[in-house]
Structures are given as structure tokens and as C-alpha cells.
Amino acid sequence: MAQVVWRAEDRYRGGDQQAGIDTRHAFSFSGFYDPDNVGFGLLVACNEERLAPGAGFEEHPHRDVEIVTWVVEGELEHRDSAGHATVVRPGDVQRLGAGSGVRHTERNAGNAPLRFVQMWLVPGTFGTEPEYEIVRGIADNTPFALPRTEAVLHVRRLADGARTAVPDAAFVYVHVARGRALLDGTTLHQGDAARLTDERGGRELRAEGGAEVLLWEMHAEPVYG
């Protein structure tokens, strides 16, 4: 078993400040490339996005990637080329399976600042039909099994002192979206992440003052070709 902690301040700072877009990348992305940090398990992006009211991303394409979005605060408006138009709020899990190709736009639909975490995973099958789904108000301890992958998202909203087990998997990614949590003696603050390899059970997270944590349980690495 191995554990690597990446602090929020070590993320690559991207986005467009003048356009009201502030992005923090966990992996190589856009104009930033680190050959030693291109992904973990099936996860190839974990971006923390902060959008000012009215700011957003113009229509752009995706292909052969599963995009999962978790809103921490504010309202995210999603529109895509398949005709879906939704507003994603805190507690909702949104999934866009790009498949053979899809285009979409994202923007801050509200009057307050928007903060969300967007995670990209490599599917097990390429060239499939695009898919879209949104789970409204997902309950704690309800696993979200990502279709077309060997990955499961666990959302944990923990009160002060509450504990939760870390999944048993080849790759586990722990991202603190809000608050602070203790992982086997290591304190993780908002924006921090831990990458666990060959996790065999027995670890737990404990909230310190309350925490909202996203845990990815992944049982494979990407296979191309």
C-alpha cells in the first residue's frame, strides 16, 4: 500500500482571471504538462473550478471520456449538443459520457460565486453513444457506479468527529471538497487530495470540524487500443 498527498497549493493554476474563471488542476492539463503527473488510476483530470456570476466555458467538444461534476456551492448551467439543458446544484451528481463525441457549454447560472469539482475518467470502451444523467440530491453512503468504467464515486458529508471507511481498491483517490479530514494521522484540508495505491481496507477518514469528501474507488488503469 502507498499513499501520496497532493496539497491544494500545489495544484496548477489555470483558467482566465479576466473572464472570471479560476481553475486549479490536480493533473497535467491544457498548457501545463508534467510527465510524472498525467493521471491516477482511471482519473485523468480533477479540476476545481471557480466561476464568477455570468462566467463560463463556451461550447467545446469532448470524446471518449466520462465527465463527473460535483457542485460545492452555487449553480452550474449545463447545455450540450444532445439537447440536455440542466442546472446542477450542491448535492447533485452530473455525468456526461462523451462517447463518440459531444459538445457542451458550462456557466455560472446564479448571482453568487460558483465552485465545482469536475473529474474526468477514461472509459473501458471507446466510440460508444454519448450519454447524460444527473442524480439529484444523492444520499450519503450511496455509491455512484460510473457506467462503462471500473470506478465508483463515494460522497461523504461528515459532521465533526464522524468517521468513514476508505474503499478497498487498486486505486483510491480522496479529494476534500470542503472542510478538513484526518486520514491515518495526515490532515487533509479543502482542496487537498490523497492518492492511495493497492488499498486493502482498514483505513478511515475522520472529519475535523465537518468535511465533504469525494472518494473514487478504481479497479483498473486506462487501456488504449
Side-chain angles (χ1 to χ4, degrees), residues 137-171:
I138 192 168
D140 285 346
N141 299 317
T142 300
F144 179 76
L146 192 61
R148 305 193 288 214
T149 73
E150 292 186 62
V152 180
L153 174 64
H154 302 268
V155 177
R156 297 289 186 267
R157 285 158 286 195
L158 306 171
D160 183 29
R163 302 169 184 266
T164 188
V166 173
D168 179 4
F171 304 93

PDB file of all heavy atoms in Angstrom, residues 137-171:
ATOM      1  N   GLY A 137     -29.628  15.279  -5.498  1.00  0.00           N
ATOM      2  CA  GLY A 137     -29.559  15.088  -4.053  1.00  0.00           C
ATOM      3  C   GLY A 137     -29.124  13.701  -3.638  1.00  0.00           C
ATOM      4  O   GLY A 137     -29.797  13.048  -2.848  1.00  0.00           O
ATOM      5  N   ILE A 138     -27.999  13.247  -4.167  1.00  0.00           N
ATOM      6  CA  ILE A 138     -27.526  11.904  -3.830  1.00  0.00           C
ATOM      7  C   ILE A 138     -27.314  11.789  -2.324  1.00  0.00           C
ATOM      8  O   ILE A 138     -26.788  12.698  -1.677  1.00  0.00           O
ATOM      9  CB  ILE A 138     -26.238  11.570  -4.609  1.00  0.00           C
ATOM     10  CG1 ILE A 138     -25.924  10.075  -4.480  1.00  0.00           C
ATOM     11  CG2 ILE A 138     -25.074  12.427  -4.159  1.00  0.00           C
ATOM     12  CD1 ILE A 138     -24.854   9.608  -5.444  1.00  0.00           C
ATOM     13  N   ALA A 139     -27.744  10.688  -1.770  1.00  0.00           N
ATOM     14  CA  ALA A 139     -27.649  10.484  -0.323  1.00  0.00           C
ATOM     15  C   ALA A 139     -26.255  10.016   0.056  1.00  0.00           C
ATOM     16  O   ALA A 139     -25.559   9.368  -0.732  1.00  0.00           O
ATOM     17  CB  ALA A 139     -28.687   9.460   0.129  1.00  0.00           C
ATOM     18  N   ASP A 140     -25.849  10.362   1.275  1.00  0.00           N
ATOM     19  CA  ASP A 140     -24.586   9.847   1.784  1.00  0.00           C
ATOM     20  C   ASP A 140     -24.621   8.323   1.793  1.00  0.00           C
ATOM     21  O   ASP A 140     -25.689   7.714   1.976  1.00  0.00           O
ATOM     22  CB  ASP A 140     -24.347  10.352   3.212  1.00  0.00           C
ATOM     23  CG  ASP A 140     -23.927  11.814   3.227  1.00  0.00           C
ATOM     24  OD1 ASP A 140     -23.573  12.339   2.153  1.00  0.00           O
ATOM     25  OD2 ASP A 140     -23.968  12.429   4.299  1.00  0.00           O
ATOM     26  N   ASN A 141     -23.445   7.739   1.597  1.00  0.00           N
ATOM     27  CA  ASN A 141     -23.294   6.278   1.606  1.00  0.00           C
ATOM     28  C   ASN A 141     -24.005   5.596   0.448  1.00  0.00           C
ATOM     29  O   ASN A 141     -24.184   4.379   0.466  1.00  0.00           O
ATOM     30  CB  ASN A 141     -23.778   5.676   2.939  1.00  0.00           C
ATOM     31  CG  ASN A 141     -22.979   6.189   4.123  1.00  0.00           C
ATOM     32  OD1 ASN A 141     -21.766   6.284   4.054  1.00  0.00           O
ATOM     33  ND2 ASN A 141     -23.673   6.550   5.194  1.00  0.00           N
ATOM     34  N   THR A 142     -24.415   6.379  -0.569  1.00  0.00           N
ATOM     35  CA  THR A 142     -24.982   5.782  -1.781  1.00  0.00           C
ATOM     36  C   THR A 142     -23.919   5.815  -2.865  1.00  0.00           C
ATOM     37  O   THR A 142     -23.596   6.880  -3.400  1.00  0.00           O
ATOM     38  CB  THR A 142     -26.217   6.561  -2.262  1.00  0.00           C
ATOM     39  OG1 THR A 142     -27.216   6.539  -1.239  1.00  0.00           O
ATOM     40  CG2 THR A 142     -26.783   5.951  -3.529  1.00  0.00           C
ATOM     41  N   PRO A 143     -23.316   4.671  -3.196  1.00  0.00           N
ATOM     42  CA  PRO A 143     -22.258   4.670  -4.206  1.00  0.00           C
ATOM     43  C   PRO A 143     -22.812   4.979  -5.594  1.00  0.00           C
ATOM     44  O   PRO A 143     -23.916   4.568  -5.937  1.00  0.00           O
ATOM     45  CB  PRO A 143     -21.698   3.244  -4.138  1.00  0.00           C
ATOM     46  CG  PRO A 143     -22.822   2.420  -3.588  1.00  0.00           C
ATOM     47  CD  PRO A 143     -23.564   3.326  -2.652  1.00  0.00           C
ATOM     48  N   PHE A 144     -22.043   5.739  -6.368  1.00  0.00           N
ATOM     49  CA  PHE A 144     -22.401   6.045  -7.742  1.00  0.00           C
ATOM     50  C   PHE A 144     -21.440   5.285  -8.655  1.00  0.00           C
ATOM     51  O   PHE A 144     -20.290   5.681  -8.833  1.00  0.00           O
ATOM     52  CB  PHE A 144     -22.318   7.551  -8.004  1.00  0.00           C
ATOM     53  CG  PHE A 144     -22.648   7.940  -9.422  1.00  0.00           C
ATOM     54  CD1 PHE A 144     -23.963   7.953  -9.867  1.00  0.00           C
ATOM     55  CD2 PHE A 144     -21.641   8.292 -10.312  1.00  0.00           C
ATOM     56  CE1 PHE A 144     -24.273   8.317 -11.183  1.00  0.00           C
ATOM     57  CE2 PHE A 144     -21.931   8.658 -11.616  1.00  0.00           C
ATOM     58  CZ  PHE A 144     -23.253   8.666 -12.053  1.00  0.00           C
ATOM     59  N   ALA A 145     -21.909   4.158  -9.183  1.00  0.00           N
ATOM     60  CA  ALA A 145     -21.083   3.340 -10.076  1.00  0.00           C
ATOM     61  C   ALA A 145     -21.072   3.985 -11.458  1.00  0.00           C
ATOM     62  O   ALA A 145     -22.123   4.175 -12.071  1.00  0.00           O
ATOM     63  CB  ALA A 145     -21.629   1.918 -10.150  1.00  0.00           C
ATOM     64  N   LEU A 146     -19.909   4.338 -11.925  1.00  0.00           N
ATOM     65  CA  LEU A 146     -19.775   5.034 -13.193  1.00  0.00           C
ATOM     66  C   LEU A 146     -19.886   4.040 -14.345  1.00  0.00           C
ATOM     67  O   LEU A 146     -19.053   3.140 -14.467  1.00  0.00           O
ATOM     68  CB  LEU A 146     -18.430   5.762 -13.245  1.00  0.00           C
ATOM     69  CG  LEU A 146     -18.224   6.764 -14.364  1.00  0.00           C
ATOM     70  CD1 LEU A 146     -19.244   7.892 -14.272  1.00  0.00           C
ATOM     71  CD2 LEU A 146     -16.812   7.327 -14.296  1.00  0.00           C
ATOM     72  N   PRO A 147     -20.923   4.174 -15.203  1.00  0.00           N
ATOM     73  CA  PRO A 147     -21.083   3.238 -16.322  1.00  0.00           C
ATOM     74  C   PRO A 147     -19.862   3.237 -17.229  1.00  0.00           C
ATOM     75  O   PRO A 147     -19.150   4.233 -17.344  1.00  0.00           O
ATOM     76  CB  PRO A 147     -22.316   3.785 -17.053  1.00  0.00           C
ATOM     77  CG  PRO A 147     -23.069   4.546 -16.024  1.00  0.00           C
ATOM     78  CD  PRO A 147     -22.011   5.153 -15.147  1.00  0.00           C
ATOM     79  N   ARG A 148     -19.613   2.133 -17.836  1.00  0.00           N
ATOM     80  CA  ARG A 148     -18.542   1.956 -18.825  1.00  0.00           C
ATOM     81  C   ARG A 148     -17.146   2.069 -18.227  1.00  0.00           C
ATOM     82  O   ARG A 148     -16.159   2.224 -18.934  1.00  0.00           O
ATOM     83  CB  ARG A 148     -18.711   2.947 -19.985  1.00  0.00           C
ATOM     84  CG  ARG A 148     -20.089   2.860 -20.641  1.00  0.00           C
ATOM     85  CD  ARG A 148     -20.189   3.578 -21.955  1.00  0.00           C
ATOM     86  NE  ARG A 148     -20.189   5.021 -21.852  1.00  0.00           N
ATOM     87  CZ  ARG A 148     -20.881   5.823 -22.677  1.00  0.00           C
ATOM     88  NH1 ARG A 148     -21.624   5.305 -23.641  1.00  0.00           N
ATOM     89  NH2 ARG A 148     -20.831   7.127 -22.546  1.00  0.00           N
ATOM     90  N   THR A 149     -17.062   2.002 -16.896  1.00  0.00           N
ATOM     91  CA  THR A 149     -15.756   2.028 -16.232  1.00  0.00           C
ATOM     92  C   THR A 149     -15.773   1.064 -15.052  1.00  0.00           C
ATOM     93  O   THR A 149     -16.828   0.569 -14.644  1.00  0.00           O
ATOM     94  CB  THR A 149     -15.403   3.418 -15.674  1.00  0.00           C
ATOM     95  OG1 THR A 149     -16.209   3.666 -14.519  1.00  0.00           O
ATOM     96  CG2 THR A 149     -15.613   4.519 -16.696  1.00  0.00           C
ATOM     97  N   GLU A 150     -14.578   0.856 -14.502  1.00  0.00           N
ATOM     98  CA  GLU A 150     -14.457   0.111 -13.249  1.00  0.00           C
ATOM     99  C   GLU A 150     -14.168   1.115 -12.131  1.00  0.00           C
ATOM    100  O   GLU A 150     -13.150   1.047 -11.454  1.00  0.00           O
ATOM    101  CB  GLU A 150     -13.350  -0.933 -13.353  1.00  0.00           C
ATOM    102  CG  GLU A 150     -13.669  -2.071 -14.319  1.00  0.00           C
ATOM    103  CD  GLU A 150     -12.617  -3.158 -14.292  1.00  0.00           C
ATOM    104  OE1 GLU A 150     -12.434  -3.779 -13.216  1.00  0.00           O
ATOM    105  OE2 GLU A 150     -11.970  -3.374 -15.326  1.00  0.00           O
ATOM    106  N   ALA A 151     -15.091   2.060 -11.978  1.00  0.00           N
ATOM    107  CA  ALA A 151     -14.913   3.126 -10.989  1.00  0.00           C
ATOM    108  C   ALA A 151     -16.231   3.409 -10.286  1.00  0.00           C
ATOM    109  O   ALA A 151     -17.307   3.348 -10.888  1.00  0.00           O
ATOM    110  CB  ALA A 151     -14.395   4.398 -11.667  1.00  0.00           C
ATOM    111  N   VAL A 152     -16.129   3.738  -9.009  1.00  0.00           N
ATOM    112  CA  VAL A 152     -17.284   4.073  -8.185  1.00  0.00           C
ATOM    113  C   VAL A 152     -16.960   5.334  -7.394  1.00  0.00           C
ATOM    114  O   VAL A 152     -15.882   5.446  -6.799  1.00  0.00           O
ATOM    115  CB  VAL A 152     -17.643   2.931  -7.209  1.00  0.00           C
ATOM    116  CG1 VAL A 152     -18.853   3.310  -6.364  1.00  0.00           C
ATOM    117  CG2 VAL A 152     -17.912   1.632  -7.962  1.00  0.00           C
ATOM    118  N   LEU A 153     -17.900   6.284  -7.392  1.00  0.00           N
ATOM    119  CA  LEU A 153     -17.744   7.510  -6.607  1.00  0.00           C
ATOM    120  C   LEU A 153     -18.520   7.375  -5.309  1.00  0.00           C
ATOM    121  O   LEU A 153     -19.697   7.013  -5.312  1.00  0.00           O
ATOM    122  CB  LEU A 153     -18.254   8.717  -7.394  1.00  0.00           C
ATOM    123  CG  LEU A 153     -18.285  10.050  -6.639  1.00  0.00           C
ATOM    124  CD1 LEU A 153     -16.877  10.494  -6.251  1.00  0.00           C
ATOM    125  CD2 LEU A 153     -18.987  11.126  -7.470  1.00  0.00           C
ATOM    126  N   HIS A 154     -17.847   7.704  -4.209  1.00  0.00           N
ATOM    127  CA  HIS A 154     -18.492   7.731  -2.896  1.00  0.00           C
ATOM    128  C   HIS A 154     -18.456   9.171  -2.386  1.00  0.00           C
ATOM    129  O   HIS A 154     -17.383   9.781  -2.313  1.00  0.00           O
ATOM    130  CB  HIS A 154     -17.754   6.833  -1.902  1.00  0.00           C
ATOM    131  CG  HIS A 154     -17.635   5.401  -2.325  1.00  0.00           C
ATOM    132  ND1 HIS A 154     -18.563   4.448  -1.978  1.00  0.00           N
ATOM    133  CD2 HIS A 154     -16.707   4.775  -3.088  1.00  0.00           C
ATOM    134  CE1 HIS A 154     -18.202   3.273  -2.483  1.00  0.00           C
ATOM    135  NE2 HIS A 154     -17.079   3.451  -3.162  1.00  0.00           N
ATOM    136  N   VAL A 155     -19.617   9.699  -2.040  1.00  0.00           N
ATOM    137  CA  VAL A 155     -19.718  11.052  -1.484  1.00  0.00           C
ATOM    138  C   VAL A 155     -19.928  10.930   0.021  1.00  0.00           C
ATOM    139  O   VAL A 155     -20.811  10.210   0.473  1.00  0.00           O
ATOM    140  CB  VAL A 155     -20.889  11.829  -2.115  1.00  0.00           C
ATOM    141  CG1 VAL A 155     -21.020  13.197  -1.474  1.00  0.00           C
ATOM    142  CG2 VAL A 155     -20.691  11.953  -3.623  1.00  0.00           C
ATOM    143  N   ARG A 156     -19.103  11.624   0.771  1.00  0.00           N
ATOM    144  CA  ARG A 156     -19.215  11.586   2.226  1.00  0.00           C
ATOM    145  C   ARG A 156     -19.311  13.013   2.771  1.00  0.00           C
ATOM    146  O   ARG A 156     -18.404  13.819   2.571  1.00  0.00           O
ATOM    147  CB  ARG A 156     -18.003  10.881   2.846  1.00  0.00           C
ATOM    148  CG  ARG A 156     -17.870   9.420   2.439  1.00  0.00           C
ATOM    149  CD  ARG A 156     -18.961   8.584   3.082  1.00  0.00           C
ATOM    150  NE  ARG A 156     -18.774   7.161   2.817  1.00  0.00           N
ATOM    151  CZ  ARG A 156     -19.333   6.519   1.802  1.00  0.00           C
ATOM    152  NH1 ARG A 156     -20.114   7.183   0.951  1.00  0.00           N
ATOM    153  NH2 ARG A 156     -19.133   5.234   1.632  1.00  0.00           N
ATOM    154  N   ARG A 157     -20.423  13.311   3.438  1.00  0.00           N
ATOM    155  CA  ARG A 157     -20.593  14.592   4.130  1.00  0.00           C
ATOM    156  C   ARG A 157     -20.615  14.289   5.617  1.00  0.00           C
ATOM    157  O   ARG A 157     -21.600  13.750   6.136  1.00  0.00           O
ATOM    158  CB  ARG A 157     -21.867  15.276   3.650  1.00  0.00           C
ATOM    159  CG  ARG A 157     -21.719  15.888   2.257  1.00  0.00           C
ATOM    160  CD  ARG A 157     -23.020  16.098   1.549  1.00  0.00           C
ATOM    161  NE  ARG A 157     -23.573  14.838   1.072  1.00  0.00           N
ATOM    162  CZ  ARG A 157     -24.555  14.752   0.166  1.00  0.00           C
ATOM    163  NH1 ARG A 157     -25.065  15.845  -0.344  1.00  0.00           N
ATOM    164  NH2 ARG A 157     -25.003  13.586  -0.213  1.00  0.00           N
ATOM    165  N   LEU A 158     -19.510  14.615   6.284  1.00  0.00           N
ATOM    166  CA  LEU A 158     -19.273  14.156   7.650  1.00  0.00           C
ATOM    167  C   LEU A 158     -19.347  15.299   8.653  1.00  0.00           C
ATOM    168  O   LEU A 158     -18.723  16.346   8.460  1.00  0.00           O
ATOM    169  CB  LEU A 158     -17.882  13.506   7.731  1.00  0.00           C
ATOM    170  CG  LEU A 158     -17.597  12.374   6.734  1.00  0.00           C
ATOM    171  CD1 LEU A 158     -16.128  11.989   6.786  1.00  0.00           C
ATOM    172  CD2 LEU A 158     -18.478  11.170   7.033  1.00  0.00           C
ATOM    173  N   ALA A 159     -20.082  15.061   9.732  1.00  0.00           N
ATOM    174  CA  ALA A 159     -20.110  16.013  10.840  1.00  0.00           C
ATOM    175  C   ALA A 159     -18.805  15.914  11.622  1.00  0.00           C
ATOM    176  O   ALA A 159     -18.026  14.962  11.451  1.00  0.00           O
ATOM    177  CB  ALA A 159     -21.304  15.716  11.745  1.00  0.00           C
ATOM    178  N   ASP A 160     -18.557  16.884  12.467  1.00  0.00           N
ATOM    179  CA  ASP A 160     -17.334  16.893  13.265  1.00  0.00           C
ATOM    180  C   ASP A 160     -17.174  15.583  14.030  1.00  0.00           C
ATOM    181  O   ASP A 160     -18.081  15.144  14.751  1.00  0.00           O
ATOM    182  CB  ASP A 160     -17.377  18.065  14.250  1.00  0.00           C
ATOM    183  CG  ASP A 160     -16.107  18.169  15.059  1.00  0.00           C
ATOM    184  OD1 ASP A 160     -15.040  17.764  14.564  1.00  0.00           O
ATOM    185  OD2 ASP A 160     -16.178  18.678  16.199  1.00  0.00           O
ATOM    186  N   GLY A 161     -16.025  14.931  13.837  1.00  0.00           N
ATOM    187  CA  GLY A 161     -15.737  13.688  14.535  1.00  0.00           C
ATOM    188  C   GLY A 161     -16.260  12.436  13.865  1.00  0.00           C
ATOM    189  O   GLY A 161     -15.900  11.321  14.269  1.00  0.00           O
ATOM    190  N   ALA A 162     -17.115  12.575  12.859  1.00  0.00           N
ATOM    191  CA  ALA A 162     -17.666  11.407  12.178  1.00  0.00           C
ATOM    192  C   ALA A 162     -16.585  10.700  11.371  1.00  0.00           C
ATOM    193  O   ALA A 162     -15.647  11.319  10.866  1.00  0.00           O
ATOM    194  CB  ALA A 162     -18.820  11.813  11.272  1.00  0.00           C
ATOM    195  N   ARG A 163     -16.749   9.396  11.226  1.00  0.00           N
ATOM    196  CA  ARG A 163     -15.751   8.571  10.544  1.00  0.00           C
ATOM    197  C   ARG A 163     -16.380   7.834   9.367  1.00  0.00           C
ATOM    198  O   ARG A 163     -17.585   7.549   9.370  1.00  0.00           O
ATOM    199  CB  ARG A 163     -15.145   7.542  11.517  1.00  0.00           C
ATOM    200  CG  ARG A 163     -14.478   8.165  12.740  1.00  0.00           C
ATOM    201  CD  ARG A 163     -14.142   7.114  13.775  1.00  0.00           C
ATOM    202  NE  ARG A 163     -13.590   7.691  14.997  1.00  0.00           N
ATOM    203  CZ  ARG A 163     -12.291   7.826  15.233  1.00  0.00           C
ATOM    204  NH1 ARG A 163     -11.409   7.402  14.334  1.00  0.00           N
ATOM    205  NH2 ARG A 163     -11.877   8.363  16.365  1.00  0.00           N
ATOM    206  N   THR A 164     -15.541   7.510   8.392  1.00  0.00           N
ATOM    207  CA  THR A 164     -15.994   6.696   7.271  1.00  0.00           C
ATOM    208  C   THR A 164     -14.831   5.848   6.789  1.00  0.00           C
ATOM    209  O   THR A 164     -13.665   6.267   6.852  1.00  0.00           O
ATOM    210  CB  THR A 164     -16.530   7.561   6.112  1.00  0.00           C
ATOM    211  OG1 THR A 164     -17.121   6.720   5.119  1.00  0.00           O
ATOM    212  CG2 THR A 164     -15.434   8.382   5.461  1.00  0.00           C
ATOM    213  N   ALA A 165     -15.135   4.639   6.322  1.00  0.00           N
ATOM    214  CA  ALA A 165     -14.094   3.731   5.838  1.00  0.00           C
ATOM    215  C   ALA A 165     -13.630   4.147   4.445  1.00  0.00           C
ATOM    216  O   ALA A 165     -14.403   4.660   3.645  1.00  0.00           O
ATOM    217  CB  ALA A 165     -14.619   2.300   5.810  1.00  0.00           C
ATOM    218  N   VAL A 166     -12.368   3.914   4.170  1.00  0.00           N
ATOM    219  CA  VAL A 166     -11.815   4.140   2.844  1.00  0.00           C
ATOM    220  C   VAL A 166     -12.034   2.875   2.024  1.00  0.00           C
ATOM    221  O   VAL A 166     -11.784   1.772   2.512  1.00  0.00           O
ATOM    222  CB  VAL A 166     -10.310   4.464   2.932  1.00  0.00           C
ATOM    223  CG1 VAL A 166      -9.683   4.544   1.547  1.00  0.00           C
ATOM    224  CG2 VAL A 166     -10.103   5.774   3.681  1.00  0.00           C
ATOM    225  N   PRO A 167     -12.530   2.994   0.777  1.00  0.00           N
ATOM    226  CA  PRO A 167     -12.789   1.800  -0.033  1.00  0.00           C
ATOM    227  C   PRO A 167     -11.542   0.947  -0.251  1.00  0.00           C
ATOM    228  O   PRO A 167     -10.417   1.446  -0.237  1.00  0.00           O
ATOM    229  CB  PRO A 167     -13.291   2.379  -1.362  1.00  0.00           C
ATOM    230  CG  PRO A 167     -13.782   3.737  -1.030  1.00  0.00           C
ATOM    231  CD  PRO A 167     -12.905   4.233   0.079  1.00  0.00           C
ATOM    232  N   ASP A 168     -11.771  -0.312  -0.493  1.00  0.00           N
ATOM    233  CA  ASP A 168     -10.724  -1.280  -0.782  1.00  0.00           C
ATOM    234  C   ASP A 168     -10.616  -1.389  -2.297  1.00  0.00           C
ATOM    235  O   ASP A 168     -11.536  -1.867  -2.959  1.00  0.00           O
ATOM    236  CB  ASP A 168     -11.103  -2.622  -0.146  1.00  0.00           C
ATOM    237  CG  ASP A 168     -10.091  -3.715  -0.418  1.00  0.00           C
ATOM    238  OD1 ASP A 168      -9.055  -3.421  -1.034  1.00  0.00           O
ATOM    239  OD2 ASP A 168     -10.340  -4.876  -0.029  1.00  0.00           O
ATOM    240  N   ALA A 169      -9.497  -0.943  -2.880  1.00  0.00           N
ATOM    241  CA  ALA A 169      -9.364  -0.957  -4.334  1.00  0.00           C
ATOM    242  C   ALA A 169      -7.903  -0.776  -4.738  1.00  0.00           C
ATOM    243  O   ALA A 169      -7.068  -0.360  -3.933  1.00  0.00           O
ATOM    244  CB  ALA A 169     -10.211   0.151  -4.967  1.00  0.00           C
ATOM    245  N   ALA A 170      -7.617  -1.066  -5.998  1.00  0.00           N
ATOM    246  CA  ALA A 170      -6.262  -0.897  -6.520  1.00  0.00           C
ATOM    247  C   ALA A 170      -5.843   0.566  -6.497  1.00  0.00           C
ATOM    248  O   ALA A 170      -4.674   0.890  -6.255  1.00  0.00           O
ATOM    249  CB  ALA A 170      -6.175  -1.455  -7.946  1.00  0.00           C
ATOM    250  N   PHE A 171      -6.822   1.461  -6.763  1.00  0.00           N
ATOM    251  CA  PHE A 171      -6.559   2.900  -6.747  1.00  0.00           C
ATOM    252  C   PHE A 171      -7.712   3.600  -6.017  1.00  0.00           C
ATOM    253  O   PHE A 171      -8.875   3.381  -6.359  1.00  0.00           O
ATOM    254  CB  PHE A 171      -6.449   3.466  -8.171  1.00  0.00           C
ATOM    255  CG  PHE A 171      -5.417   2.784  -9.023  1.00  0.00           C
ATOM    256  CD1 PHE A 171      -5.777   1.727  -9.846  1.00  0.00           C
ATOM    257  CD2 PHE A 171      -4.090   3.190  -9.001  1.00  0.00           C
ATOM    258  CE1 PHE A 171      -4.837   1.087 -10.632  1.00  0.00           C
ATOM    259  CE2 PHE A 171      -3.139   2.556  -9.783  1.00  0.00           C
ATOM    260  CZ  PHE A 171      -3.508   1.502 -10.603  1.00  0.00           C
TER     261      PHE A 171
END
